[in-house]
Amino acid sequence: MLTSVLLAAEEDPTRFVFPKGDELIWGSIAFFILFAVLAKVAFPAINKVLQQRSDKIRASLESAERAKIEADGALDQYRAQLADARAEASRIIEEAKRTAEGVRREVEARAQAEAQQIVERARAEVGSERDRAFQELRGTVGDLSIRLATKVVERELADPDAQRAFVRRMIDELAATAPASGNGGRGGAA
Amino acid sequence: MTTLAFEAPTVQELFEFKPIWVLHIGSLTLDITFPTLLMFAVTILVIGIFLGAFRRPALVPKGFQNVVEAGTDFIREGIAISVIGAEGAVWTPLLAAIFFWILFNNLMSIIPGISFPVTSRMAYPVTLAVLVWIIFNVVGIKEQGFFRYFKNIMFPPGVPLLIKPLLALIEFFSTVIVRPITLSVRLFANMVAGHMILGVLFLATAVFFQSGLGKATFVLPFGLATALMLLELFVIFMQAFIFTILTAVYIAGALHPEH
């Protein structure tokens, strides 16, 4: 037995500190089997999957980097477009403001002109109406005066036409003096 | 009132096992004991873990594969590459085999129903230490050449002439003779000590529990044993790590004598 070769004394209580030959052989066999399986089967598989993982991660990182560059480019483009759109909007707003101001001034001027025309027309109509009324009033007053004077003096006057001319002259004189006496400021004979 | 006398278990009771089978191969006779079977079971377990995790590895790891990948990544990045350098990655399978074989053999120390660290059998640390010794010497001789390798070991630069002969002897002795011994004895002694302390405390727990002193008396040894199991868990990981990182250091020294 191998053990007896390696053990100095079979009954020595310290013999357990010496390696037994049997166990050296079994230990060597077991460890070599373990190492062989790990070195030939397990670790090639580990290394293969680690390499695949490393490749996959590298490819993913590169892809992500490319995507980031593209996204940055698109972002810059969108920002530029947004800036252009804002400038265009500002320009349109300014133009609209200017147009609105022009329209407002034009409408206001037109309204003022129309208002002026309306006022002028109204004044003219009022003047015309007053003149017409004044003429009518003057005729009526003359007739009434003549009629009244005729009735008052018809018995004493032999020539009615001369009397009538006289009355009219008097009325004209009266009319000429009307502004001074406060009857509308109109001068001249009818 | 009956009392049970507490007798500490002997070393033979804790570490010696009778053969379960005896194999005869020609003139060779090989015993198969409980630690031998346990060691093979652990080996199969470690192989199963790696094959289970990496037989059809997923590109995006999850669950079990994730855990085992983290373990191998720790060996690759934390030990192989950080100690040896970029070319250390090729040593990852060896270092991983050493680390996980020691780790799981150590873990048997605190598995209920087993409670025996396989590495407390001196042959297993010696097996690994001899293997490591062969590897770093072969690597050193292959990388540097036979004479230059031993010259670099024995005559480090910058040493005064008078000290050189003494230092050459010490360096040769420490590198070629002491390294495998310290590697194996460190692992073996730590696991033996842990197993002895836990064995004694759990035995005391059982004895006190059955004694006439009152059942509460078992609390002290049981509490101590529980606390020491946590310490033992730390030692289990630490010893596997130390053995593995020293292996990497020895290989790095053989590859890069200037360091």
Side-chain angles (χ1 to χ4, degrees):
Chain A
M1 200 160 73
L2 268 177
T3 308
S4 59
V5 177
L6 290 167
L7 294 182
E10 193 67 31
E11 297 306 318
D12 182 0
T14 63
R15 67 176 180 268
F16 81 101
V17 301
F18 296 102
K20 279 183 69 178
D22 314 66
E23 290 176 336
L24 283 172
I25 291 171
W26 292 131
S28 302
I29 292 169
F31 184 79
F32 276 111
I33 291 170
L34 171 65
F35 173 66
V37 171
L38 259 59
K40 296 294 176 189
V41 181
F43 272 87
I46 298 170
N47 293 334
K48 187 179 172 189
V49 78
L50 286 179
Q51 187 60 45
Q52 286 174 345
R53 193 178 300 156
S54 173
D55 293 344
K56 172 82 176 169
I57 290 169
R58 189 179 299 111
S60 299
L61 285 174
E62 287 170 0
S63 172
E65 185 65 26
R66 280 197 301 275
K68 184 178 177 300
I69 291 168
E70 285 175 10
D72 286 345
L75 184 63
D76 290 343
Q77 193 178 347
Y78 291 148
R79 279 180 177 155
Q81 286 176 352
L82 188 62
D84 289 348
R86 279 182 179 150
E88 179 69 11
S90 298
R91 191 187 61 74
I92 290 169
I93 289 168
E94 285 301 317
E95 194 176 315
K97 279 181 180 173
R98 282 196 301 275
T99 306
E101 182 66 20
V103 168
R104 187 186 68 79
R105 284 179 182 165
E106 188 183 342
V107 167
E108 190 178 274
R110 197 182 301 143
Q112 280 180 348
E114 282 181 4
Q116 190 65 32
Q117 282 176 358
I118 289 167
V119 169
E120 291 296 326
R121 198 161 50 238
R123 279 182 181 163
E125 282 178 1
V126 166
S128 166
E129 285 295 319
R130 190 187 58 189
D131 289 346
R132 191 174 55 78
F134 189 76
Q135 288 297 330
E136 283 179 1
L137 182 61
R138 192 169 59 179
T140 303
V141 168
D143 287 343
L144 281 175
S145 300
I146 290 167
R147 210 175 293 167
L148 285 172
T150 300
K151 284 192 181 290
V152 172
V153 293
E154 68 183 344
R155 287 180 202 169
E156 299 175 3
L157 297 177
D159 188 1
D161 291 330
Q163 295 301 325
R164 189 175 293 121
F166 174 75
V167 170
R168 282 183 180 167
R169 193 171 58 248
M170 290 304 289
I171 288 169
D172 287 335
E173 286 173 7
L174 188 65
T177 58
S181 59
N183 65 349
R186 307 275 305 177
Chain B
M1 193 169 70
T2 58
T3 57
L4 290 174
F6 174 68
E7 290 180 12
T10 64
V11 169
Q12 282 73 24
E13 285 170 331
L14 284 171
F15 295 102
E16 295 291 320
F17 294 87
K18 289 180 179 173
I20 299 170
W21 293 300
V22 178
L23 284 182
H24 299 280
I25 303 169
S27 60
L28 195 65
T29 304
L30 297 173
D31 292 346
I32 296 178
T33 60
F34 170 69
T36 314
L37 290 178
L38 193 55
M39 181 271 300
F40 273 111
V42 165
T43 307
I44 292 167
L45 175 68
V46 176
I47 289 172
I49 286 171
F50 273 87
L51 291 186
F54 297 120
R55 201 159 54 89
R56 289 198 194 99
L59 198 59
V60 179
K62 56 184 178 182
F64 187 55
Q65 184 190 340
N66 216 358
V67 174
V68 183
E69 258 195 38
T72 54
D73 193 57
F74 164 68
I75 301 295
R76 181 188 294 105
E77 301 294 332
I79 297 178
I81 291 175
S82 72
V83 173
I84 301 172
E87 72 269 40
V90 298
W91 295 96
T92 307
L94 175 73
L95 296 172
I98 290 173
F99 179 81
F100 288 105
W101 201 59
I102 293 174
L103 178 68
F104 280 89
N105 277 318
N106 288 354
L107 273 172
M108 295 301 112
S109 171
I110 55 169
I111 301 297
I114 298 174
S115 298
F116 182 78
V118 178
T119 41
S120 68
R121 297 295 300 167
M122 185 59 165
Y124 302 117
V126 166
T127 302
L128 288 180
V130 169
L131 176 72
V132 170
W133 181 83
I134 292 169
I135 287 171
F136 78 75
N137 280 307
V138 168
V139 168
I141 291 168
K142 192 178 167 192
E143 287 293 317
Q144 304 173 41
F146 184 84
F147 291 106
R148 193 154 163 264
Y149 173 61
F150 283 102
K151 175 180 164 288
N152 285 331
I153 287 175
M154 296 166 70
F155 302 105
V159 178
L161 189 64
L162 286 175
I163 303 175
K164 270 191 175 177
L166 180 63
L167 195 67
L169 196 64
I170 291 170
E171 285 292 329
F172 179 82
F173 191 74
S174 74
T175 304
V176 181
I177 310 294
V178 173
R179 274 185 182 180
I181 296 173
T182 54
L183 261 186
S184 54
V185 170
R186 183 187 299 109
L187 174 59
F188 164 76
N190 272 282
M191 299 321 296
V192 164
H195 183 54
M196 286 177 81
I197 292 170
L198 288 179
V200 167
L201 286 172
F202 278 117
L203 191 64
T205 302
V207 168
F208 278 111
F209 191 74
Q210 295 168 26
S211 74
L213 296 173
K215 289 190 175 178
T217 53
F218 83 94
V219 171
L220 181 65
F222 182 73
L224 268 174
T226 307
L228 282 171
M229 271 186 83
L230 293 174
L231 177 68
E232 185 67 4
L233 186 62
F234 173 72
V235 171
I236 283 166
F237 276 94
M238 189 52 71
Q239 287 307 314
F241 176 71
I242 288 171
F243 200 106
T244 312
I245 203 162
L246 283 175
T247 302
V249 168
Y250 297 157
I251 292 170
L255 285 169
H256 311 291
E258 66 277 10
H259 296 158

